[in-house]
Structures are given as structure tokens and as C-alpha cells.
Amino acid sequence: MADEVAGLSASEAAHRLRERGPNVLPRARPPSSARLAVAQLTHFFALLLWGAAVLAWVGGMPQLAVATVAVVIVNGAFAFAQEHRADRAGQRLLDLMPARATVVRDGRRRLIDARDVVVGDLLVLEAGDAICADARLAGADGFAVDASALTGESAATHPATAETVRAGTYVLEGEATAEATATGEATELAQVVRLTRRSRRSASPLDLRLRRVVRTIAGIAIAIGGTFFAVTLVLDVPPSDGFLFAVGVAVALVPEGLLPTVTLSLARGAQRMAASNALVRRLDAVETLGATTFVCTDKTGTLTRNEMSVVAVWTPRGAAEVVGHGYAPTGRITAVPGRAGTGAATAADHERDVRAAVRDLALGATRCSTGRLLRSGETWTPHGDPMEVALHVLALRAGVDVAAAEAARPVRRRLPFDARRRRMSVLAGDRVFVKGAPDAVVPLTADPGAADDALAELTGRGLRVLAVAARPARESDVRDRAARVEAGLGLLGLVALQDPVRDDVHAAVASCRAAGIRLAMLTGDHRRTAAAVAREVGLCRGEPTVVEGAALPADDDALGRLVDRDGLVVARVTPEDKLRIARALRARGHVVAMTGDGVNDAPALREADVGVAMGRGGSDVAREAADVVLLDDAFGSIVAAVELGRATFSNIRKFLTYHLTDNVAELTPFLVWALSGGSVPLALTVLQILALDIGTDLLPALALGAEPPDRRTMGPRERTGALVDRRVLLRVFGVLGPAEAAVEMAAFVAVLGLAGWSLGADVSATTLALASGAAFTAVVLGQLGNVFACRSEHRWAGALPLGGNHLLLTAVVVGLLLLGLFLSAPLSEVLGGSPPPAVGWAVAGFAPVLVVLADAADKAARRRAHRGRRRGSGRSPLRSSS
């Protein structure tokens, strides 16, 4: 062990450094940019498109192959640009370790590299220092530590001699010497590093749903391609030509435009979330937030302001309530009627007496504190222990001139706070002031029972309570031991503090409940404080269920059953507890959002489906580990982000409906050709289908991705388990697709019939190009009508305001311009369709009308059926919104 005066010798320190290694945290190489870029080009959907491009090239369609490759590369580059940040949570943890440290070696203070600190070194710690190792205090004077970077809790700690301070924390005030007990990978901070790196993000709900959709589409495309190959063999088409034809059909049915549409829709959602103070670091987190079924929220800085504030004062002359905002020195102190017991003649006398008592108490509390609210111009800045700053704010609100009091009666002796005495005292001028925990101060006063009722009331409200006492000074106080100096006191009163609840929390909690999202509070605070906040914000209905972290079951299944309830409060929670809770809830099928701000929250943020970090008060480590960062630290911003995430999910369903409707229209000509045994020519070419998928369809689909949330978005049943469910399939294959395909084929046959064609007859290339142009036009116009039908799954197109989505009209105009471009030379010659004659235009022009009318009829029928079911169940029908 080190000598408390001489410390280690230089030779012993060098020996220990060689034996145990440098004082550095475990490092891991972050994934390279090249690896991240490759990941954007090799996920399942991208691989499907790569395969389609190869088949298109083999099938003699180089244009389609090049276009498909371009889609994959452009989409991958965009996604990489959005998510190019490497996962730097581990690096941010390393940044908490200081570069230099002061130690005592060979009896002298030395400033050395922090990496050279070894177990047994005697560290010298002063205000402003970062602590570089876990260490046991050998001596302390007015010592306070800010551990918020590690724990996320705002209150300063006052460790006493023989207690341990942790690497990664900061000295707030005072000075101390401490013997290093653990360095590098043996520190508690290193354990957080390991937990963070062991937590690996799994696939998001959107990834899983899209994989199912894409696999289904790919299976259908391959099956149809194989079917058409078989048909060509029956029709005596040469096998090589039949194979190329089947490849073309299969590739054409792959929705090349779906990938960029999803990516850009998520980017649009991320942009909207940023406007709502939620910065998205991973694109798929946009939709994952919308899928959230369980939110595990921290207390400090999320539900509360992370600002200690005095809210009530009790004095022997009466009680007072304190009203003010944060650390602003302006506020109101009002005496509580009926609690005086001092025989004041009038209410005004009572008010005056209480105000005088509050001023005396605030002066005593401030003289026993070093935390101050400092003014720079018009800005007030807290400096020091947040609780002591709150006491200074109380003094300013009470009208106490603290600076004048300090100048007139300077401190002659200070007995600093320590964990054993749990109080501190000062001899200032002609008075001794004492401040500390009520059970450490009140028993030292003349009437220890005078404050019992007030103390029970204030602690019952979950408030943090301090007691302040004083007595006239004696000359011997300068040299007497602490027990004598702190004897014979008179109680000035009690000060009750709290971290105020944010203004928007109540409404946000109610919105989560309405959306069917369960809530739990996970906090390192005392159970009583946590329960009080839970009651105040409406987290629980009635008395909250509070479980302490130490009482959580060791079995993960039992843990899941315990925590899977709405309104649960877990107090004194550890990083490992939060990690296990996230894992247990996910194992029970929940999509979990976890909030956090401290370094110790990083593992749980990575384990959850979506980690939400605080942008203002949070640590860099938490922000780097999270998927979403709240720029204003407000719980209400989580709810706004959930709403936008749900809207994004709904919008993805909308443009999937839009894309699949187009696929029905694209497939129909091939079905008609096959079922007619080749008697009806193909109405569309493969390149026309490509022009539809990544040409005319793309911008309208993006417009659907920009639809704003509606009144149904935060309803409890708004989410469904799948992107493509029975409702979507019925709309696509039973209503929208058939309506569009019917007009498509009608326009095609009308042009052929006008040219004298009959079933099974040969068709000239010129006539076929005109008819194909008419069919292509019908699909484009039908899709422009379809985009309005797909804006809502419940209301018909005419009931939705056009101003709600400004991109929609732009998409329609661009779609019409692209139609003209594709029908004009030279593109018409490449794609295989010419501008149709008048009859083709006339029939094709009916496509958007029929699609919208068919959609309106279907929605009206579903509404009538819904009302009938509700009447049959004895419930009044609900009016459908959007």
C-alpha cells in the first residue's frame, strides 16, 4: 500500500505499470466506412435487385440491368450518407478518461500521464479535475463529486474518507487525496464499456416486415416467371426465347422503385422528427419508434427538468410555498394560511413574520453552501452543487443580499459535509449556521419534535428535505471540536426541494396511454422520490407499483412477467438492471424504446429496439449509443416522434398499396397473353414496366410517404402487425388493381379494334406500338388517380384536403410530363409505345376516374359493414376519421 504522505516510489510504480498494464479502457476498432457502405449494398432487398440486374443482362435487356444497378447504388449512397456515423459510443467512453493526473510519488506531487497511474498511487484531487481511476478517499475537505456523466443523476455526491470515487466522474468542489484501487479494465467505467459493446442491435421491426414483403414478391415473381416459361413451351416458342421472356417477366415484377421509396420516406420522417426536436441517427429508427409498445423512461432530465428547486419552506413561525421557474432568481414566496401557530394578529402580520423567518433560514442555508447562481449580463448560470444553487436562488427570491452578508460577516471556520455527520457548519461573523439531513440536524436543536409533522408531510410528497439551524457564536467555536460547535442550536426551519416536472409530461403520458403504449420509469433515485414523480405525471393510476433494482428476480422469464405492466416504477436501478429489463420486454414481444442520459445507460440504449438519448443534459456516450437524440430533452418529444413514426408506417403501407396496384396492372397483359394462348398480343413491354416502376411511379409514391399524421394515428389500434395484411391485399387485388387493369386492357383492345384487329390475327408493329402506348397511358393515368385513393385507408379521395400534402400535386404534374416524355421520340422507340390515337386517349383518360370511384365504393361498403357490426354488438358506431 502507498504511504499516505510519500505515496508510491517511482520504482514501485514502474513495476506495477509493467505488471498490470497502462490505465486505459478496453478499445475496439469501430466498423470501417467501407464496411458500412458495403452493408448498404448487400442487404436482402439489394441482393434481390442485384440478382434481377444479372438476369436482365442475361435476358438481353442491358437497359433494365443498368437502371436496376443504378437504383441500388443511388439508394445505398443515400442511406450511407444518412447513417455514415460510425458507432462511437465506445470512443466517447474513452474520452471520459483525462489525459493527465496529479499523484504523490516519493513524497512529491507529480503531474503524469493518466495512463501511467497504477493501483496504489496516491491521487491528488481538486475542483475541476476528472478522476482517472477508481480510488478510495484517504482524506477530504469540502469534497463534492459530479457523477452525472456516469450515473445520469444530477445531484452532487459528498463522499467521505474511506469511500470510493469512480473513474469518469469529476470533482465539483473541495479537495481530497485518494488511493487508486482499480485502473484501466478493472474500473467500473470499463464494465460499462464491456456492457455497451456486448449489446448488439438486432434487425428493426421494419427490416423484418420488409424482408417478408420482399420475399413474398420475389417468390411470386419467380413463380410467375416459371409459369410463363412453361406457357411458352406449350405455345411452341423456342426454349431460349421462352427463357428470356420468362426472365423479363420475373424481373419486371420486382418493384425496383420500392427500395428508394422506403429510404426516402424514412428520410422524410427523420426530417420531420428533427423539426419536432428528435434527431434520428438511424433511418429505420423512424419507423421503429412508431412500432413502440413499451417506453422505459428515466426520471431526471426526461420527466423532470434536471434543475433542483426549492418548492416549500417550513419555519417555527409558519410555512411558505415557493413558486418560480428553474434557476431564475425571480419568483414568489407566499405564506401558507392557518399554519402559523405564532399568534399573529392578522394575516398581514403572519405573512410578514413568515417572510422574515424564510429570509433568516435562506441566509443560513446559503452561508453553509458554496453553490451559487452567477450573473453574466442578462444570463444567470448555476455554478456548483445544484442543490446548493437552489438554496441561493431561494435567498435571492426572499430578498436576501448574500454578497453583502458575506462581506459583512465572513466565514471564520468551516466544517465541511461528510457522509458520517451528514451535515456541514460554518462560523460566519457572530453566528454558527448548520445545514444537513433533518435526522442529523433536528436532534441537535432545543425542541427536536417541533418539526415532526412538517417533516412527515414534506417527505410524504416525495420532496428532498434539508434542515437548517443556527445559534449565536462563541469565541471557543474557532477551535472547538465539531460536536461542541454544533450543539445548542435553534431550528431555523426545513427546506423542501424537488426536480420540477416538465410542463408537457402530463399530456405526453396521456397520449401514450391513448395509443396503447405501456410506460415504466427506471431511475436511480430513492423509491419515495420516484413514486412521487410517478403520481405527479400520471404515470400510474392510483398508488404506483414500486420495485427496487435489488429486488428484481434473477430469472429473465420472471423478470419479464414482473415488469410487463403499465405504470411500473423501478427505483435504485443499475445499468445491468436496465439492460436485463430491455431484453426481458423484447423477449415478451414488445418493441421497446429506452431513454437515458448517463454513460451507464449506453448498454440499455443499444439493447432496446430504439434507444433515445438526451441532447442537452445527456452524455456524449449516451448520444452515440442511441438511435434518436432528443434535442430538448423533453418526454413530449418522444410522443411527437412516436406519432411521426406511426405516420411513416402508415405511409409505407400506402405506397406499398400504390406499388402493388401497379404490379397488378403490369402483370395483367402477361396473364391475358398466356390465358389466350398468345391470341392477344402483349399490351406492355418489359421496358415500359421499368419506366413505370422507377419513372412515373416514383414521385407519387414519395408524395404518399410525405402524408402528415391524422387523428387516427395515435389511436390504440392504428398499428397492424404487417405492412401487407388482408386489408391491403383486398384493396390491391379486389378493387384498385382490377379497376386499373380493366381500363388498361380496354384502351389496348380499343386501339387494336379501330385498326381492324381480331382475336388471334397478326398485328403490325406500328399498330401494336399505338395500342401499347394507349395501355401505358392508361396505367400512368390510373396510377395518378390511385395516388389520391391511397392517401387514406378509410376516407375517399374527395374528402381529403389537397393542401395537406403539397408534394402530391407536384408529383401529378411531373408524372404527366414524364408520360409525355416516354411517349415521344426517341424514348418511345426504345420503350416500345407510341402516342395513342384519340380513342386510346379517351379510354385511358377514364382510368383515374374509375380507380377513384371504385375505391370510394369500397370504402363506403366497409363503413356500412363496420357500422352494422357495431350495432350488432350493442355499441354505438364511431365516426371514421382518416
Side-chain angles (χ1 to χ4, degrees):
M1 288 294 178
D3 183 88
E4 290 193 2
V5 177
L8 291 177
S9 66
S11 59
E12 176 61 20
H15 171 71
R16 295 187 183 189
L17 185 63
R18 289 192 301 270
E19 185 179 65
R20 304 190 185 188
N23 178 32
V24 294
L25 295 175
R27 293 177 178 268
R29 291 185 61 185
S32 66
S33 297
R35 181 179 174 185
L36 294 175
V38 169
Q40 298 295 342
L41 302 175
T42 55
H43 54 77
F44 183 79
F45 200 175
L47 291 175
L48 176 65
L49 293 181
W50 284 116
V54 171
L55 289 175
W57 187 273
V58 172
M61 294 172 284
Q63 304 96 326
L64 179 57
V66 171
T68 304
V69 169
V71 167
V72 177
I73 293 176
V74 170
N75 184 82
F78 181 84
F80 174 77
Q82 180 73 15
E83 301 184 19
H84 75 283
R85 304 176 185 88
D87 193 346
R88 295 171 297 188
Q91 183 58 47
R92 290 294 190 179
L93 283 161
L94 304 182
D95 292 344
L96 291 177
M97 297 292 275
R100 308 280 281 173
T102 301
V103 299
V104 176
R105 287 185 181 171
D106 295 320
R108 292 187 303 164
R109 289 192 180 191
R110 295 184 179 181
L111 185 64
I112 65 172
D113 288 340
R115 63 180 288 116
D116 294 334
V117 170
V118 297
V119 172
D121 258 327
L122 194 63
L123 304 175
V124 179
L125 305 174
E126 298 177 337
D129 286 349
I131 300 174
C132 67
D134 292 353
R136 183 173 55 251
L137 292 181
D141 182 14
F143 192 61
V145 174
D146 177 5
S148 60
L150 191 60
T151 66
E153 300 301 327
S154 58
T157 61
H158 297 268
T161 300
E163 291 188 346
T164 299
V165 292
R166 302 295 180 186
T169 60
Y170 295 84
V171 180
L172 200 59
E173 59 186 36
E175 58 184 28
T177 55
E179 182 181 343
T181 56
T183 60
E185 298 193 9
T187 61
E188 185 175 304
L189 183 60
Q191 173 64 15
V192 177
V193 175
R194 284 188 286 270
L195 280 174
T196 302
R197 288 179 179 156
R198 282 204 300 266
S199 302
R200 291 290 179 261
R201 294 186 177 96
S202 57
S204 71
L206 178 63
D207 285 335
L208 297 175
R209 292 187 178 103
L210 277 177
R211 287 176 192 174
R212 286 195 291 268
V213 171
V214 171
R215 285 192 181 102
T216 301
I217 293 175
I220 291 173
I222 293 171
I224 290 176
T227 300
F228 277 101
F229 179 63
V231 171
T232 59
L233 295 179
V234 172
L235 297 177
D236 293 329
V237 176
S240 58
D241 293 344
F243 173 75
L244 296 180
F245 176 75
V247 167
V249 172
V251 173
L253 290 177
V254 174
E256 291 87 356
L258 180 59
L259 184 60
T261 303
V262 170
T263 302
L264 292 174
S265 179
L266 292 175
R268 173 72 173 177
Q271 184 181 21
R272 285 179 168 178
M273 286 185 182
S276 297
N277 294 311
L279 179 65
V280 175
R281 299 186 66 250
R282 285 163 49 95
L283 274 183
D284 55 10
V286 173
E287 192 276 338
T288 306
L289 262 176
T292 297
T293 60
F294 208 114
V295 175
C296 297
T297 177
D298 196 3
K299 176 187 73 68
T300 305
T302 309
L303 299 178
T304 63
R305 295 181 181 277
N306 198 15
E307 296 177 352
M308 294 301 296
S309 179
V310 176
V311 295
V313 177
W314 177 89
T315 74
R317 295 185 181 182
E321 297 291 336
V322 183
V323 179
H325 183 71
Y327 289 136
T330 56
R332 186 175 72 256
I333 300 176
T334 307
V336 178
R339 300 187 187 181
T342 59
T346 65
D349 291 339
H350 173 58
E351 183 82 25
R352 183 178 61 254
D353 289 349
V354 171
R355 285 182 176 275
V358 171
R359 283 195 295 273
D360 197 23
L361 179 147
L363 174 63
T366 307
R367 296 310 306 270
C368 287
S369 305
T370 57
R372 291 292 184 265
L373 186 69
L374 304 180
R375 183 171 185 173
S376 176
E378 298 299 318
T379 304
W380 294 87
T381 305
H383 178 75
D385 186 335
M387 184 172 63
E388 294 190 345
V389 173
L391 296 175
H392 187 213
V393 171
L394 172 66
L396 295 176
R397 290 173 178 171
V400 177
D401 190 338
V402 177
E406 290 175 336
R409 298 178 180 84
V411 173
R412 298 159 58 194
R413 185 183 182 188
R414 187 183 302 275
L415 298 173
F417 180 93
D418 67 51
R420 179 181 56 82
R421 291 168 47 248
R422 294 193 299 130
R423 58 182 178 266
M424 71 173 298
S425 306
V426 295
L427 170 60
D430 57 358
R431 298 181 76 183
V432 171
F433 296 104
V434 181
K435 176 198 75 178
D439 58 351
V441 174
V442 174
L444 305 177
T445 63
D447 186 4
D452 286 352
D453 292 342
L455 181 60
E457 178 193 352
L458 295 173
T459 55
R461 291 163 56 183
L463 302 175
R464 180 174 296 180
V465 182
L466 294 175
V468 183
R471 67 164 174 80
R474 300 185 295 257
E475 284 302 319
S476 60
D477 289 333
V478 177
R479 56 184 181 277
D480 279 344
R481 57 191 177 87
R484 181 171 175 79
V485 173
E486 295 171 342
L489 301 170
L491 183 64
L492 297 181
L494 304 175
V495 182
L497 304 97
Q498 72 172 8
D499 187 357
V501 170
R502 290 180 175 273
D503 296 335
D504 63 343
V505 169
H506 297 84
V509 169
S511 294
C512 284
R513 288 268 155 66
I517 299 172
R518 294 186 174 188
L519 297 171
M521 180 199 296
L522 313 182
T523 177
D525 272 349
H526 188 276
R527 60 183 300 140
R528 184 179 294 171
T529 303
V533 172
R535 285 192 296 268
E536 186 175 357
V537 303
L539 186 74
C540 52
R541 300 179 176 93
E543 195 62 24
T545 300
V546 183
V547 181
E548 292 204 353
L552 293 174
D555 179 70
D556 285 348
D557 290 338
L559 176 65
R561 290 192 296 271
L562 173 66
V563 299
D564 191 2
R565 65 181 72 184
D566 190 30
L568 179 71
V569 176
V570 183
R572 299 301 190 197
V573 74
T574 66
E576 292 83 358
D577 294 334
K578 297 182 77 169
L579 185 65
R580 290 185 61 225
I581 288 170
R583 190 173 293 150
L585 288 172
R586 293 184 64 211
R588 291 177 66 85
H590 282 290
V591 177
V592 180
M594 177 76 70
T595 75
D597 53 8
V599 170
N600 63 347
D601 292 323
L605 293 177
R606 287 172 60 90
E607 176 66 32
D609 293 286
V610 54
V612 183
M614 304 300 110
R616 287 183 178 176
S619 64
D620 287 341
V621 179
R623 286 192 288 268
E624 292 296 340
D627 305 296
V628 176
V629 178
L630 300 183
L631 301 180
D632 57 358
D633 292 8
F635 184 77
S637 294
I638 300 177
V639 178
V642 168
E643 182 179 29
L644 288 170
R646 286 191 169 198
T648 300
F649 174 85
S650 176
N651 291 344
I652 292 175
R653 279 172 58 92
K654 290 171 185 176
F655 63 64
L656 271 172
T657 303
Y658 178 83
H659 274 301
L660 292 175
T661 300
D662 194 26
N663 278 5
V664 172
E666 293 167 352
L667 180 60
T668 297
F670 294 91
L671 286 175
V672 171
W673 174 83
L675 293 175
S676 68
S679 298
V680 178
L682 279 172
L684 293 178
T685 68
V686 170
L687 291 181
Q688 281 177 318
I689 291 174
L690 175 66
L692 289 168
D693 281 346
I694 60 176
T696 58
D697 271 2
L698 193 56
L699 196 56
L702 292 177
L704 288 174
E707 280 290 315
D710 57 43
R711 289 175 295 174
R712 297 173 63 99
T713 300
M714 291 299 282
R717 299 181 183 87
E718 181 62 17
R719 293 282 310 198
T720 65
L723 285 171
V724 178
D725 58 7
R726 181 172 177 271
R727 179 190 295 176
V728 169
L729 294 176
L730 286 175
R731 291 189 70 205
V732 168
F733 294 103
V735 181
L736 301 174
E740 191 171 293
V743 180
E744 169 196 20
M745 295 310 298
F748 180 69
V749 172
V751 174
L752 290 180
L754 188 65
W757 171 82
S758 60
L759 189 64
D762 291 334
V763 183
S764 68
T766 301
T767 300
L768 185 59
L770 292 172
S772 184
F776 180 78
T777 301
V779 176
V780 172
L781 296 180
Q783 284 293 89
L784 295 182
N786 187 31
V787 73
F788 289 97
C790 289
R791 291 184 67 193
S792 171
E793 294 186 41
H794 310 281
R795 300 170 67 189
W796 85 287
L800 301 171
L802 290 177
N805 188 345
H806 298 291
L807 185 58
L808 198 65
L809 293 179
T810 302
V812 170
V813 171
V814 172
L816 292 173
L817 292 175
L818 286 174
L819 173 61
L821 181 65
F822 291 151
L823 291 176
S824 61
L827 283 180
S828 62
E829 298 172 4
V830 175
L831 298 179
S834 302
V839 67
W841 280 108
V843 177
F846 187 63
V849 178
L850 182 60
V851 168
V852 170
L853 291 177
D855 178 67
D858 171 61
K859 290 172 179 174
R862 283 194 283 118
R863 281 197 300 272
R864 286 194 298 270
H866 178 66
R867 284 195 291 265
R869 286 193 299 270
R870 295 193 65 84
R871 278 195 293 267
S873 65
R875 292 177 292 176
S876 60
L878 298 176
R879 194 178 81 181
S880 176
S881 55
S882 175

